[in-house]
Amino acid sequence: EVQVVNTFPTIIREPDTIFRQCQQRPDWFPSAEMRDAMLIMTRDLFRAAGFREGPISYLHSPSKRPQQQADKFECVNLIAFGPSAFGYWNGEEWSAQCFNYCNLDDYYRRIRQNQLPLWRAGVMHNVERARRKLIFGLANCKTENLVELERRFDISVDDTFGQMLNGLYEEGLIRIDKTGHGVYYTEEGLCRLEEISYFFGSDQVNQRANQLVSPVDPYRGELLRHHYY
């Protein structure tokens, strides 16, 4: 019996074997409008069958929530094992996010040298941690407690997110949950969650994410394949 369904849209990138085909015959592939229509149809179909939403791009039966994905979206500690694995660690006033090497040669080379097979890693301090927690908490399809966000990361929600949250509220993309002391996405907001999440990111993170991958970078293929932002 199917209990969890992943509705994440297909992403085609330059290293993929189908990329050239998409360039040559774009009429064989769905448009952005058609992709949105298929996503909405899928969600409506599974909801009618009793499935619930969450975290984003997942639908689950009432008795089975995808715990690993939910934990990742709640920013709990995650230890990365194996090639391409993703890790996340929490400290007192910092967090670190990492990716292991994607290719086997580099991964095993580091292991044989008794070193961690880390390919990319970044340290975040409290403001960036708060941004990530809000983005992922809302993507977990639940109320994100803004009072707790301020307390945990010692930040001002008004200063950091106020303008953005007010704009989303006026456009009907989020609602206020007074009991939960926070906000959550409306149906309209969930349909555009990926685009909204971009605007919760800091200028520093967004500028880095927007940088083009150098054509001479030795890890160009891996960087393009694993660019999810």
Side-chain angles (χ1 to χ4, degrees):
E1 182 183 357
V2 175
Q3 293 186 313
V4 177
V5 178
N6 184 347
T7 59
F8 195 80
T10 301
I11 300 174
I12 300 174
R13 298 187 174 92
E14 187 178 329
D16 299 333
T17 55
I18 201 173
F19 179 79
R20 188 176 298 277
Q21 192 176 42
C22 182
Q23 281 189 313
Q24 294 174 344
R25 296 301 303 266
D27 53 302
W28 289 1
F29 297 83
S31 64
E33 182 180 4
M34 188 181 298
R35 189 197 77 166
D36 285 352
M38 289 191 292
L39 176 61
I40 293 170
M41 180 189 71
T42 301
R43 290 168 64 195
D44 287 348
L45 178 67
F46 278 95
R47 282 175 172 177
F51 279 63
R52 298 175 182 173
E53 194 126 17
I56 187 62
S57 299
Y58 283 84
L59 291 154
H60 62 92
S61 67
S63 60
K64 180 67 174 180
R65 184 174 174 83
Q67 192 62 46
Q68 186 270 342
Q69 289 295 326
D71 283 349
K72 183 174 73 173
F73 278 63
E74 287 305 304
C75 305
V76 302
N77 291 324
L78 299 171
I79 299 176
F81 287 106
S84 301
F86 163 88
Y88 192 78
W89 312 307
N90 290 289
E92 288 296 326
E93 294 186 356
W94 61 271
S95 294
Q97 182 173 315
C98 72
F99 290 89
N100 285 350
Y101 276 103
C102 304
N103 61 78
L104 294 178
D105 289 341
D106 282 327
Y107 183 86
Y108 286 124
R109 172 178 57 81
R110 298 279 292 195
I111 294 295
R112 285 193 293 268
Q113 294 171 351
N114 292 321
Q115 296 178 328
L116 292 174
L118 296 183
W119 175 46
R120 292 286 191 276
V123 176
M124 293 170 283
H125 296 290
N126 276 351
V127 173
E128 290 298 337
R129 294 173 75 197
R131 288 183 181 278
R132 189 181 190 280
K133 182 65 175 69
L134 180 62
I135 291 170
F136 276 61
L138 290 174
N140 217 353
C141 301
K142 67 176 188 61
T143 295
E144 183 60 24
N145 188 323
L146 301 181
V147 175
E148 174 62 18
L149 198 72
E150 286 193 323
R151 185 204 63 78
R152 177 177 175 183
F153 298 112
D154 192 27
I155 59 120
S156 166
V157 167
D158 286 342
D159 293 343
T160 309
F161 306 112
Q163 183 176 5
M164 181 65 180
L165 290 173
N166 287 334
L168 294 175
Y169 179 75
E170 291 174 2
E171 294 298 326
L173 300 174
I174 61 171
R175 286 200 183 98
I176 297 172
D177 180 353
K178 293 183 179 179
T179 304
H181 306 291
V183 295
Y184 62 94
Y185 281 124
T186 62
E187 179 68 20
E188 292 78 7
L190 284 174
C191 290
R192 282 288 175 261
L193 185 147
E194 291 89 348
E195 292 93 329
I196 296 171
S197 296
Y198 176 86
F199 294 101
F200 279 128
S202 65
D203 291 340
Q204 177 185 359
V205 171
N206 289 342
Q207 288 168 7
R208 182 66 182 272
N210 290 335
Q211 288 179 359
L212 298 177
V213 179
S214 170
V216 297
D217 192 302
Y219 294 102
R220 176 177 172 81
E222 287 87 350
L223 286 168
L224 290 173
R225 286 191 188 95
H226 295 271
H227 193 314
Y228 295 115
Y229 194 66

